[in-house]
Amino acid sequence: MTDKLKLYGKEFDSRLLVGTALYPSPAIMREAVAASGSEIITLSLRRQSSAQQQGNMIWDYIRETGCQLLPNTAGCKTPKEVIALAEMSREILGTNWLKLEVIGDDYNLQPDPYGLIEAACELIQRGFRVLPYCTDDLVVCRRLLDVGCEVLMPWGSPIGTGRGLMNKYNLQTLRERLPDIPLIIDAGLGAPSQACEAMEMGFDAVLLNTAIAKAQAPVLMAHAFKRAVESGRAARTAGLMLKRQTASPSTPTLDMPFWQQSFAPGKIHER
C-alpha cells in the first residue's frame, strides 16, 4: 500500500522532519539526520555559528544528505524581517520552500497570528511554498489556508519545552475540521511516545529538533523517533479501537471448548 507524505506536489516516504541546530557537533548532526530517516530538514541562516568554521562544515553535511531543504525564519518578529530572510535563503539555498516563523512573544515563542498571515500572503505572491508554524487556533489556520498555504504546522506546545501535545482538544478539532490539509505537528515534542500519539491522532507528520539534538545520545534518539512515527502512522492506518465506558471481556464465553461448556457453573450434568 502506498503511504506517501505529499507536500506541495512532492512525495516523501518519511513522516519525520528534523532540525539541524543544537547538536554537540556537525558530525553528530549528520549521523542523527541519517538515523532519523528524514527526507526534509529545516535550517536557519540567522543562527548558524561561524565559530571554528563549523558553519561551513554544517552546510557541507547538509548538502550531502540530499534532503529537501526547508529554510526557516526563526527569530523573525515582523513580516519585513521574514521577507528579507526568505529572499536571502532562496538565493543562497536554491529552494522556494520556507518554514514561516513570526514570533510574537519572547517568553514562550508563540507565533504572532497577524504577522504570520500578512507574511504568508506576501511570500506566496512571491512564489514561495510556505509551511507556517502556527498555534492550534482553528480560525488562524483557516486564514492561512485562505491566503494560499497548502500545509499547516500547528504547535504541540511551545518550542523546546518537551511538553508534548498540550491541547489535544484543539489539535483534534483541527484534524477533524481540516481533513484534507496536510498537518504537521511542529515544536514541543520531547519523547518518541508523544510523536507516536500525534501520528495516532491522524497528523500527517511531525517536526522536531531539540528532543534529538539535546539527548544524551542524539543518534540513538533519532532512531527512536523514527520508529515511533512509523508505529503511530501504522496504528492510525490499521484503525484504533473505540474507547468504552464499561469493561468488555477479551475472551468471550460463547464458543468455549465443549469440555468446558459441559462443566460450566450451574449446568446440570446428565449421567
Side-chain angles (χ1 to χ4, degrees):
M1 180 175 65
T2 301
D3 186 30
K4 303 278 189 180
L5 173 65
K6 298 177 182 178
L7 305 174
Y8 284 111
K10 288 191 174 182
E11 294 186 344
F12 303 91
D13 291 318
S14 173
R15 292 175 180 271
L16 173 59
L17 292 68
V18 297
T20 54
L22 303 177
Y23 287 91
S25 72
I28 292 177
M29 178 208 72
R30 178 173 59 177
E31 289 185 54
V33 170
S36 74
S38 178
E39 297 169 287
I40 304 174
I41 55 176
T42 184
L43 64 157
S44 172
L45 290 182
R46 291 188 68 169
R47 295 187 174 180
Q48 298 299 337
S49 171
S50 59
Q52 299 176 342
Q53 297 185 332
Q54 287 196 346
N56 290 336
M57 193 180 300
I58 290 173
W59 291 125
D60 290 341
Y61 286 165
I62 287 173
R63 291 191 188 96
E64 290 174 5
T65 65
C67 294
Q68 168 68 51
L69 299 183
L70 183 61
N72 64 62
T73 58
C76 292
K77 296 182 178 179
T78 66
K80 184 177 179 180
E81 286 181 279
V82 164
I83 302 302
L85 186 60
E87 291 290 3
M88 186 166 61
S89 297
R90 179 159 62 179
E91 182 176 341
I92 294 174
L93 301 175
T95 178
N96 59 357
W97 283 44
L98 187 77
K99 180 192 170 191
L100 171 60
E101 294 186 31
V102 184
I103 299 303
D105 183 83
D106 287 332
Y107 180 74
N108 63 8
L109 301 180
Q110 182 169 337
D112 175 353
Y114 306 103
L116 199 63
I117 295 168
E118 180 183 341
C121 183
E122 176 67 22
L123 288 165
I124 288 169
Q125 290 178 1
R126 290 171 179 245
F128 283 91
R129 305 294 193 189
V130 179
L131 292 83
Y133 163 62
C134 55
T135 63
D136 47 29
D137 188 302
L138 176 61
V139 176
V140 172
C141 287
R142 281 179 165 167
R143 296 293 178 271
L144 289 166
L145 296 174
D146 289 343
V147 299
C149 293
E150 297 181 14
V151 182
L152 298 175
M153 304 180 77
W155 68 357
S157 51
I159 294 173
T161 61
R163 300 177 71 87
L165 307 177
M166 218 165 45
N167 194 331
K168 295 178 185 177
Y169 175 83
N170 277 12
L171 291 172
Q172 193 64 57
T173 299
L174 281 184
R175 183 65 289 174
E176 292 173 359
R177 300 291 292 278
L178 306 172
D180 301 323
I181 302 300
L183 297 177
I184 300 172
I185 292 292
D186 178 13
L189 300 184
S193 58
Q194 296 164 352
C196 185
E197 183 179 16
M199 300 303 294
E200 289 176 350
M201 289 175 67
F203 287 91
D204 297 277
V206 301
L207 188 156
L208 54 96
N209 182 80
T210 307
I212 293 177
K214 303 300 285 184
Q216 293 182 14
V219 177
L220 183 58
M221 185 61 79
H223 190 64
F225 268 102
K226 176 179 183 290
R227 288 190 169 187
V229 169
E230 292 172 348
S231 294
R233 179 65 181 180
R236 175 72 178 186
T237 303
L240 297 166
M241 66 171 286
L242 296 176
K243 293 181 180 178
R244 302 171 184 267
Q245 291 294 331
T246 58
S248 176
S250 57
T251 305
T253 53
L254 294 176
D255 300 323
M256 291 174 61
F258 67 90
W259 61 86
Q260 292 186 17
Q261 291 181 18
S262 64
F263 291 100
K267 183 177 178 63
I268 299 175
H269 304 290
E270 297 180 355
R271 294 178 181 277

mmCIF file with all atom_site columns, all heavy atoms in Angstrom, residues 50-63:
data_model
loop_
_atom_site.group_PDB
_atom_site.id
_atom_site.type_symbol
_atom_site.label_atom_id
_atom_site.label_alt_id
_atom_site.label_comp_id
_atom_site.label_asym_id
_atom_site.label_entity_id
_atom_site.label_seq_id
_atom_site.pdbx_PDB_ins_code
_atom_site.Cartn_x
_atom_site.Cartn_y
_atom_site.Cartn_z
_atom_site.occupancy
_atom_site.B_iso_or_equiv
_atom_site.pdbx_formal_charge
_atom_site.auth_seq_id
_atom_site.auth_comp_id
_atom_site.auth_asym_id
_atom_site.auth_atom_id
_atom_site.pdbx_PDB_model_num
ATOM 1   N N   . SER A 1 50 ? 29.656 30.891 13.078 1.00 0.00 ? 50 SER A N   1
ATOM 2   C CA  . SER A 1 50 ? 30.862 30.818 12.251 1.00 0.00 ? 50 SER A CA  1
ATOM 3   C C   . SER A 1 50 ? 32.073 30.385 13.067 1.00 0.00 ? 50 SER A C   1
ATOM 4   O O   . SER A 1 50 ? 33.178 30.273 12.539 1.00 0.00 ? 50 SER A O   1
ATOM 5   C CB  . SER A 1 50 ? 31.136 32.199 11.637 1.00 0.00 ? 50 SER A CB  1
ATOM 6   O OG  . SER A 1 50 ? 31.293 33.160 12.673 1.00 0.00 ? 50 SER A OG  1
ATOM 7   N N   . ALA A 1 51 ? 31.875 30.118 14.367 1.00 0.00 ? 51 ALA A N   1
ATOM 8   C CA  . ALA A 1 51 ? 32.979 29.737 15.231 1.00 0.00 ? 51 ALA A CA  1
ATOM 9   C C   . ALA A 1 51 ? 33.616 28.438 14.760 1.00 0.00 ? 51 ALA A C   1
ATOM 10  O O   . ALA A 1 51 ? 32.927 27.480 14.408 1.00 0.00 ? 51 ALA A O   1
ATOM 11  C CB  . ALA A 1 51 ? 32.479 29.570 16.669 1.00 0.00 ? 51 ALA A CB  1
ATOM 12  N N   . GLN A 1 52 ? 34.896 28.416 14.726 1.00 0.00 ? 52 GLN A N   1
ATOM 13  C CA  . GLN A 1 52 ? 35.681 27.235 14.351 1.00 0.00 ? 52 GLN A CA  1
ATOM 14  C C   . GLN A 1 52 ? 35.275 26.699 12.977 1.00 0.00 ? 52 GLN A C   1
ATOM 15  O O   . GLN A 1 52 ? 35.387 25.501 12.703 1.00 0.00 ? 52 GLN A O   1
ATOM 16  C CB  . GLN A 1 52 ? 35.517 26.132 15.409 1.00 0.00 ? 52 GLN A CB  1
ATOM 17  C CG  . GLN A 1 52 ? 36.000 26.566 16.783 1.00 0.00 ? 52 GLN A CG  1
ATOM 18  C CD  . GLN A 1 52 ? 35.757 25.511 17.832 1.00 0.00 ? 52 GLN A CD  1
ATOM 19  O OE1 . GLN A 1 52 ? 34.960 24.594 17.663 1.00 0.00 ? 52 GLN A OE1 1
ATOM 20  N NE2 . GLN A 1 52 ? 36.475 25.620 18.916 1.00 0.00 ? 52 GLN A NE2 1
ATOM 21  N N   . GLN A 1 53 ? 34.780 27.592 12.147 1.00 0.00 ? 53 GLN A N   1
ATOM 22  C CA  . GLN A 1 53 ? 34.370 27.242 10.783 1.00 0.00 ? 53 GLN A CA  1
ATOM 23  C C   . GLN A 1 53 ? 33.334 26.118 10.751 1.00 0.00 ? 53 GLN A C   1
ATOM 24  O O   . GLN A 1 53 ? 33.215 25.401 9.770  1.00 0.00 ? 53 GLN A O   1
ATOM 25  C CB  . GLN A 1 53 ? 35.600 26.848 9.947  1.00 0.00 ? 53 GLN A CB  1
ATOM 26  C CG  . GLN A 1 53 ? 36.585 27.998 9.775  1.00 0.00 ? 53 GLN A CG  1
ATOM 27  C CD  . GLN A 1 53 ? 37.715 27.632 8.854  1.00 0.00 ? 53 GLN A CD  1
ATOM 28  O OE1 . GLN A 1 53 ? 38.082 26.472 8.729  1.00 0.00 ? 53 GLN A OE1 1
ATOM 29  N NE2 . GLN A 1 53 ? 38.285 28.633 8.196  1.00 0.00 ? 53 GLN A NE2 1
ATOM 30  N N   . GLN A 1 54 ? 32.599 25.976 11.860 1.00 0.00 ? 54 GLN A N   1
ATOM 31  C CA  . GLN A 1 54 ? 31.587 24.919 11.868 1.00 0.00 ? 54 GLN A CA  1
ATOM 32  C C   . GLN A 1 54 ? 30.450 25.233 10.908 1.00 0.00 ? 54 GLN A C   1
ATOM 33  O O   . GLN A 1 54 ? 29.759 24.336 10.436 1.00 0.00 ? 54 GLN A O   1
ATOM 34  C CB  . GLN A 1 54 ? 31.049 24.714 13.283 1.00 0.00 ? 54 GLN A CB  1
ATOM 35  C CG  . GLN A 1 54 ? 32.043 24.018 14.199 1.00 0.00 ? 54 GLN A CG  1
ATOM 36  C CD  . GLN A 1 54 ? 31.393 23.486 15.447 1.00 0.00 ? 54 GLN A CD  1
ATOM 37  O OE1 . GLN A 1 54 ? 30.260 23.836 15.771 1.00 0.00 ? 54 GLN A OE1 1
ATOM 38  N NE2 . GLN A 1 54 ? 32.086 22.628 16.159 1.00 0.00 ? 54 GLN A NE2 1
ATOM 39  N N   . GLY A 1 55 ? 30.246 26.540 10.636 1.00 0.00 ? 55 GLY A N   1
ATOM 40  C CA  . GLY A 1 55 ? 29.188 26.906 9.712  1.00 0.00 ? 55 GLY A CA  1
ATOM 41  C C   . GLY A 1 55 ? 29.384 26.250 8.357  1.00 0.00 ? 55 GLY A C   1
ATOM 42  O O   . GLY A 1 55 ? 28.470 25.634 7.812  1.00 0.00 ? 55 GLY A O   1
ATOM 43  N N   . ASN A 1 56 ? 30.586 26.351 7.802  1.00 0.00 ? 56 ASN A N   1
ATOM 44  C CA  . ASN A 1 56 ? 30.851 25.730 6.501  1.00 0.00 ? 56 ASN A CA  1
ATOM 45  C C   . ASN A 1 56 ? 30.703 24.218 6.561  1.00 0.00 ? 56 ASN A C   1
ATOM 46  O O   . ASN A 1 56 ? 30.206 23.585 5.623  1.00 0.00 ? 56 ASN A O   1
ATOM 47  C CB  . ASN A 1 56 ? 32.265 26.090 6.043  1.00 0.00 ? 56 ASN A CB  1
ATOM 48  C CG  . ASN A 1 56 ? 32.380 27.556 5.668  1.00 0.00 ? 56 ASN A CG  1
ATOM 49  O OD1 . ASN A 1 56 ? 31.384 28.190 5.317  1.00 0.00 ? 56 ASN A OD1 1
ATOM 50  N ND2 . ASN A 1 56 ? 33.587 28.096 5.766  1.00 0.00 ? 56 ASN A ND2 1
ATOM 51  N N   . MET A 1 57 ? 31.160 23.634 7.666  1.00 0.00 ? 57 MET A N   1
ATOM 52  C CA  . MET A 1 57 ? 31.058 22.182 7.809  1.00 0.00 ? 57 MET A CA  1
ATOM 53  C C   . MET A 1 57 ? 29.596 21.737 7.838  1.00 0.00 ? 57 MET A C   1
ATOM 54  O O   . MET A 1 57 ? 29.214 20.736 7.227  1.00 0.00 ? 57 MET A O   1
ATOM 55  C CB  . MET A 1 57 ? 31.767 21.743 9.106  1.00 0.00 ? 57 MET A CB  1
ATOM 56  C CG  . MET A 1 57 ? 32.000 20.243 9.201  1.00 0.00 ? 57 MET A CG  1
ATOM 57  S SD  . MET A 1 57 ? 32.821 19.822 10.747 1.00 0.00 ? 57 MET A SD  1
ATOM 58  C CE  . MET A 1 57 ? 34.347 20.750 10.596 1.00 0.00 ? 57 MET A CE  1
ATOM 59  N N   . ILE A 1 58 ? 28.772 22.505 8.558  1.00 0.00 ? 58 ILE A N   1
ATOM 60  C CA  . ILE A 1 58 ? 27.347 22.182 8.622  1.00 0.00 ? 58 ILE A CA  1
ATOM 61  C C   . ILE A 1 58 ? 26.719 22.241 7.236  1.00 0.00 ? 58 ILE A C   1
ATOM 62  O O   . ILE A 1 58 ? 25.975 21.342 6.832  1.00 0.00 ? 58 ILE A O   1
ATOM 63  C CB  . ILE A 1 58 ? 26.634 23.154 9.582  1.00 0.00 ? 58 ILE A CB  1
ATOM 64  C CG1 . ILE A 1 58 ? 27.053 22.867 11.025 1.00 0.00 ? 58 ILE A CG1 1
ATOM 65  C CG2 . ILE A 1 58 ? 25.113 23.038 9.431  1.00 0.00 ? 58 ILE A CG2 1
ATOM 66  C CD1 . ILE A 1 58 ? 26.544 23.881 12.031 1.00 0.00 ? 58 ILE A CD1 1
ATOM 67  N N   . TRP A 1 59 ? 27.049 23.285 6.473  1.00 0.00 ? 59 TRP A N   1
ATOM 68  C CA  . TRP A 1 59 ? 26.494 23.389 5.116  1.00 0.00 ? 59 TRP A CA  1
ATOM 69  C C   . TRP A 1 59 ? 26.906 22.202 4.268  1.00 0.00 ? 59 TRP A C   1
ATOM 70  O O   . TRP A 1 59 ? 26.108 21.663 3.499  1.00 0.00 ? 59 TRP A O   1
ATOM 71  C CB  . TRP A 1 59 ? 26.960 24.687 4.454  1.00 0.00 ? 59 TRP A CB  1
ATOM 72  C CG  . TRP A 1 59 ? 26.387 25.920 5.042  1.00 0.00 ? 59 TRP A CG  1
ATOM 73  C CD1 . TRP A 1 59 ? 27.069 26.990 5.531  1.00 0.00 ? 59 TRP A CD1 1
ATOM 74  C CD2 . TRP A 1 59 ? 24.996 26.241 5.216  1.00 0.00 ? 59 TRP A CD2 1
ATOM 75  N NE1 . TRP A 1 59 ? 26.207 27.940 6.000  1.00 0.00 ? 59 TRP A NE1 1
ATOM 76  C CE2 . TRP A 1 59 ? 24.929 27.504 5.824  1.00 0.00 ? 59 TRP A CE2 1
ATOM 77  C CE3 . TRP A 1 59 ? 23.813 25.564 4.933  1.00 0.00 ? 59 TRP A CE3 1
ATOM 78  C CZ2 . TRP A 1 59 ? 23.721 28.116 6.141  1.00 0.00 ? 59 TRP A CZ2 1
ATOM 79  C CZ3 . TRP A 1 59 ? 22.610 26.177 5.250  1.00 0.00 ? 59 TRP A CZ3 1
ATOM 80  C CH2 . TRP A 1 59 ? 22.576 27.429 5.847  1.00 0.00 ? 59 TRP A CH2 1
ATOM 81  N N   . ASP A 1 60 ? 28.168 21.806 4.390  1.00 0.00 ? 60 ASP A N   1
ATOM 82  C CA  . ASP A 1 60 ? 28.651 20.657 3.605  1.00 0.00 ? 60 ASP A CA  1
ATOM 83  C C   . ASP A 1 60 ? 27.883 19.393 3.964  1.00 0.00 ? 60 ASP A C   1
ATOM 84  O O   . ASP A 1 60 ? 27.464 18.624 3.086  1.00 0.00 ? 60 ASP A O   1
ATOM 85  C CB  . ASP A 1 60 ? 30.149 20.444 3.862  1.00 0.00 ? 60 ASP A CB  1
ATOM 86  C CG  . ASP A 1 60 ? 30.991 21.556 3.257  1.00 0.00 ? 60 ASP A CG  1
ATOM 87  O OD1 . ASP A 1 60 ? 30.480 22.262 2.366  1.00 0.00 ? 60 ASP A OD1 1
ATOM 88  O OD2 . ASP A 1 60 ? 32.144 21.724 3.697  1.00 0.00 ? 60 ASP A OD2 1
ATOM 89  N N   . TYR A 1 61 ? 27.710 19.162 5.258  1.00 0.00 ? 61 TYR A N   1
ATOM 90  C CA  . TYR A 1 61 ? 26.990 17.962 5.690  1.00 0.00 ? 61 TYR A CA  1
ATOM 91  C C   . TYR A 1 61 ? 25.528 17.989 5.239  1.00 0.00 ? 61 TYR A C   1
ATOM 92  O O   . TYR A 1 61 ? 24.962 16.968 4.838  1.00 0.00 ? 61 TYR A O   1
ATOM 93  C CB  . TYR A 1 61 ? 27.042 17.834 7.213  1.00 0.00 ? 61 TYR A CB  1
ATOM 94  C CG  . TYR A 1 61 ? 28.392 17.407 7.749  1.00 0.00 ? 61 TYR A CG  1
ATOM 95  C CD1 . TYR A 1 61 ? 28.700 17.550 9.093  1.00 0.00 ? 61 TYR A CD1 1
ATOM 96  C CD2 . TYR A 1 61 ? 29.344 16.835 6.912  1.00 0.00 ? 61 TYR A CD2 1
ATOM 97  C CE1 . TYR A 1 61 ? 29.929 17.146 9.597  1.00 0.00 ? 61 TYR A CE1 1
ATOM 98  C CE2 . TYR A 1 61 ? 30.572 16.443 7.398  1.00 0.00 ? 61 TYR A CE2 1
ATOM 99  C CZ  . TYR A 1 61 ? 30.872 16.599 8.733  1.00 0.00 ? 61 TYR A CZ  1
ATOM 100 O OH  . TYR A 1 61 ? 32.090 16.205 9.223  1.00 0.00 ? 61 TYR A OH  1
ATOM 101 N N   . ILE A 1 62 ? 24.924 19.170 5.330  1.00 0.00 ? 62 ILE A N   1
ATOM 102 C CA  . ILE A 1 62 ? 23.524 19.283 4.929  1.00 0.00 ? 62 ILE A CA  1
ATOM 103 C C   . ILE A 1 62 ? 23.366 18.978 3.440  1.00 0.00 ? 62 ILE A C   1
ATOM 104 O O   . ILE A 1 62 ? 22.439 18.276 3.026  1.00 0.00 ? 62 ILE A O   1
ATOM 105 C CB  . ILE A 1 62 ? 22.995 20.695 5.263  1.00 0.00 ? 62 ILE A CB  1
ATOM 106 C CG1 . ILE A 1 62 ? 22.805 20.820 6.781  1.00 0.00 ? 62 ILE A CG1 1
ATOM 107 C CG2 . ILE A 1 62 ? 21.682 20.971 4.534  1.00 0.00 ? 62 ILE A CG2 1
ATOM 108 C CD1 . ILE A 1 62 ? 22.440 22.212 7.241  1.00 0.00 ? 62 ILE A CD1 1
ATOM 109 N N   . ARG A 1 63 ? 24.267 19.467 2.640  1.00 0.00 ? 63 ARG A N   1
ATOM 110 C CA  . ARG A 1 63 ? 24.194 19.195 1.195  1.00 0.00 ? 63 ARG A CA  1
ATOM 111 C C   . ARG A 1 63 ? 24.346 17.707 0.918  1.00 0.00 ? 63 ARG A C   1
ATOM 112 O O   . ARG A 1 63 ? 23.711 17.146 0.025  1.00 0.00 ? 63 ARG A O   1
ATOM 113 C CB  . ARG A 1 63 ? 25.282 19.977 0.461  1.00 0.00 ? 63 ARG A CB  1
ATOM 114 C CG  . ARG A 1 63 ? 25.067 21.489 0.435  1.00 0.00 ? 63 ARG A CG  1
ATOM 115 C CD  . ARG A 1 63 ? 26.024 22.150 -0.524 1.00 0.00 ? 63 ARG A CD  1
ATOM 116 N NE  . ARG A 1 63 ? 25.976 23.601 -0.452 1.00 0.00 ? 63 ARG A NE  1
ATOM 117 C CZ  . ARG A 1 63 ? 26.814 24.337 0.276  1.00 0.00 ? 63 ARG A CZ  1
ATOM 118 N NH1 . ARG A 1 63 ? 27.775 23.760 0.966  1.00 0.00 ? 63 ARG A NH1 1
ATOM 119 N NH2 . ARG A 1 63 ? 26.697 25.651 0.295  1.00 0.00 ? 63 ARG A NH2 1
#
